[in-house]
Amino acid sequence: MAVMAGMLKALSNPNRLKVYQTICRKAKKGGPGITIEQICTAAKMKQPAVSHYVARLAAAGLVERRKARWWVHCFPCSKALDALRRFSKDPAAFPG
């Protein structure tokens, strides 16, 4: 239950939620992930803030980061998405 609480807490900030939605939208379209620069453009935020938000989302297990040369590509964590789906369908049945 602590893991789910951490994920929900990370998503409780409107800016982190916006960054997470941007990452998920890009993943839905496919491709190599989305870079911090692309998130900044799409979310209309500054790079230091986006990097901080992505780090918080990654610490909560919501986002995976992969470095390719000097770019960091961000992806939504599929296990976290599945856990959030299960929890939203029936919170009472979620193991905790």
Side-chain angles (χ1 to χ4, degrees), residues 23 25-34 38 66 73-76:
I23 294 168
R25 280 190 198 106
K26 174 63 176 167
K28 201 171 184 181
K29 293 178 183 176
I34 187 169
Q38 291 170 325
R66 295 187 196 126
H73 295 272
C74 303
F75 307 86

Side-chain angles (χ1 to χ4, degrees), residues 3-4 6-8 10-11 20 24 57-64 75-88 94:
V3 173
M4 181 57 63
M7 285 192 276
L8 293 174
L11 294 174
Y20 187 66
C24 290
L57 292 168
L62 292 163
V63 172
E64 295 175 20
F75 307 86
C77 179
S78 58
K79 289 180 183 178
L81 282 171
D82 290 340
L84 287 169
R85 281 188 198 109
R86 287 193 322 272
F87 183 79
S88 67
F94 199 79

Side-chain angles (χ1 to χ4, degrees), residues 7 9 30 46 61 76:
M7 285 192 276
K9 184 175 180 179
K46 303 270 185 205

